[in-house]
Amino acid sequence: MKRALITGITGQDGSYLAELLLDKGYEVHGLVRRSSSFNRWRIDHLYRDPHEAGTRLFLHYADLTDSSSLIGHLHRVKPEEVYNLGAQSHVKVSFEMPEFTAETAGMGTLRILEAVRTADWPIRFYQAGSSEMFGRVAESPQTETTPFRPRSPYAIAKVFAHWITVDYREAYGLYTSNGILFNHESPRRGETFVTRKVTRAVAAVCAGQIDHVYLGNLDAKRDWGYAKEYVEAMWLMLQQDRPDDYVVATGQTHSVRELCEVAFGLVGRDWQDHVRIDEGYLRPTEVDELRGDASKAERVLGWRPRTGFGELIRIMVEADLREAGLDPARHLVAAPAPA
């Protein structure tokens, strides 16, 4: 039985990755931060009493800002694979909390790499990169060789994490791979991220709870895919004979305006009746458009996206309608989905 350690296991990607690894027969260990309240709803359906026979998911308290906890748990668990998905990951928030973002997304990666370096058994390490690293893009679409031009504290911290992962591969011979993942969404996406904010607003409007949702830049264009499929690429990266870096993306872009149009259109509403602009949501430095070229991932890993933009938004709207206590069958109408 393989053993994996996941930081950020209670997040969107961590929960889907834990599901995938458990389905493949792994023993999965997740690192969670101590807080005054539980935030484990994404993995509640996976987690059983750790004293029960047959349990293969275990949670441990740790923090990416605390080296001793990382080293201690790594040596106790002795995983063959480590997936570093934890960080302060909200771009807008990173402008308000730049130091904490750098500590978790940047230095946190260095700390866990140092823990991996102390291991006396082979470990394969995955680092969660971001398309935000490309920033003011030098070319489109972006590939593994496109220069990074980050435009937020979050993106800058992720660039540091990317290159320290490469450096530890080259300097110490560690098996370390970077996944440069473009935006990936799901019903488990955090409620402050724009896709989930919009799909939750659709459900709230249908439930009569709100009339409007407030957004920032409607012209920003992103390459949006399905998170459940993107974690498959993470796993595939660590199954290769040699470590490497891969872009994971759909190759298609859609604007926030299109997102609103599709999401509200699914329930037969005009998005312009329900969307308002709040300049407080605008970033100090904006990234206008990101579009990835995942041809290397398809060629080497055999990975490709399967869920289109329109289908993804429908999945999210359906889930949020149910969460609002509504029957999707009574609210969803036929709506054309963009290619």
Side-chain angles (χ1 to χ4, degrees), residues 224-238:
W224 277 305
Y226 190 14
K228 188 173 183 178
E229 297 170 359
Y230 281 37
V231 300
E232 296 171 8
M234 299 178 188
W235 176 76
L236 285 168
M237 289 179 208
L238 297 197

Side-chain angles (χ1 to χ4, degrees), residues 19 50 78-79 96 111 116 153 189 211 233 241 262 301 310 316 329 337:
E19 277 183 348
K78 294 190 179 301
E96 300 170 20
R111 293 185 185 101
V116 169
R189 187 58 143 151
D211 291 322
D241 292 335
V262 171
L301 306 179
M316 295 176 67

Side-chain angles (χ1 to χ4, degrees), residues 129-278:
S130 168
S131 59
E132 288 286 336
M133 298 188 296
F134 294 117
R136 189 189 291 272
V137 298
E139 61 183 7
S140 191
Q142 295 86 57
T143 72
E144 293 80 7
T145 60
T146 301
F148 297 137
R149 299 172 65 180
R151 286 172 63 78
S152 68
Y154 168 75
I156 292 166
K158 282 293 187 180
V159 170
F160 172 86
H162 176 95
W163 285 119
I164 201 68
T165 298
V166 172
D167 190 60
Y168 271 54
R169 181 168 72 213
E170 296 176 349
Y172 303 116
L174 299 182
Y175 189 112
T176 63
S177 291
N178 285 293
I180 308 173
L181 272 60
F182 281 64
N183 293 60
H184 45 290
E185 319 299 316
S186 76
R188 300 181 192 175
R189 187 58 143 151
E191 297 171 359
T192 60
F193 290 86
V194 67
T195 48
R196 186 80 196 289
K197 188 174 181 180
V198 169
T199 61
R200 288 187 79 243
V202 169
V205 167
C206 290
Q209 298 169 349
I210 64 170
D211 291 322
H212 306 103
V213 61
Y214 292 88
L215 304 175
N217 181 9
L218 299 184
D219 296 320
K221 294 182 178 180
R222 294 293 183 268
D223 183 330
W224 277 305
Y226 190 14
K228 188 173 183 178
E229 297 170 359
Y230 281 37
V231 300
E232 296 171 8
M234 299 178 188
W235 176 76
L236 285 168
M237 289 179 208
L238 297 197
Q239 310 315 306
Q240 307 307 304
D241 292 335
R242 298 171 59 183
D244 206 345
D245 308 321
Y246 300 89
V247 163
V248 180
T250 70
Q252 299 181 3
T253 60
H254 300 277
S255 68
V256 176
R257 182 176 283 100
E258 290 177 79
L259 163 66
C260 295
E261 182 180 0
V262 171
F264 279 97
L266 285 168
V267 294
R269 293 178 181 263
D270 185 341
W271 69 273
Q272 296 180 84
D273 293 336
H274 303 289
V275 174
R276 299 290 183 268
I277 302 301
D278 183 344

Side-chain angles (χ1 to χ4, degrees), residues 28-143:
V28 177
H29 294 257
L31 301 186
V32 296
R33 287 179 296 170
R34 176 71 177 92
S35 67
S36 58
S37 59
F38 284 107
N39 182 28
R40 302 180 184 176
W41 62 271
R42 295 180 179 91
I43 59 171
D44 279 344
H45 64 295
L46 301 174
Y47 191 65
R48 298 164 55 191
D49 187 325
H51 301 291
E52 286 185 17
T55 296
R56 290 187 288 114
L57 174 61
F58 303 89
L59 303 180
H60 313 275
Y61 285 119
D63 198 290
L64 289 170
T65 65
D66 179 24
S67 298
S68 62
S69 66
L70 299 175
I71 294 172
H73 287 306
L74 185 83
H75 282 260
R76 279 189 288 274
V77 171
K78 294 190 179 301
E80 289 95 346
E81 297 174 5
V82 173
Y83 297 85
N84 184 34
L85 311 183
Q88 189 303 103
S89 60
H90 198 285
V91 175
K92 179 64 166 62
V93 171
S94 77
F95 285 99
E96 300 170 20
M97 303 178 67
E99 185 176 343
F100 178 70
T101 301
E103 279 290 341
T104 56
M107 290 300 296
T109 304
L110 174 58
R111 293 185 185 101
I112 197 164
L113 278 169
E114 272 294 290
V116 169
R117 192 167 72 90
T118 67
D120 58 2
W121 68 94
I123 294 178
R124 296 189 172 195
F125 177 84
Y126 170 83
Q127 168 58 22
S130 168
S131 59
E132 288 286 336
M133 298 188 296
F134 294 117
R136 189 189 291 272
V137 298
E139 61 183 7
S140 191
Q142 295 86 57
T143 72

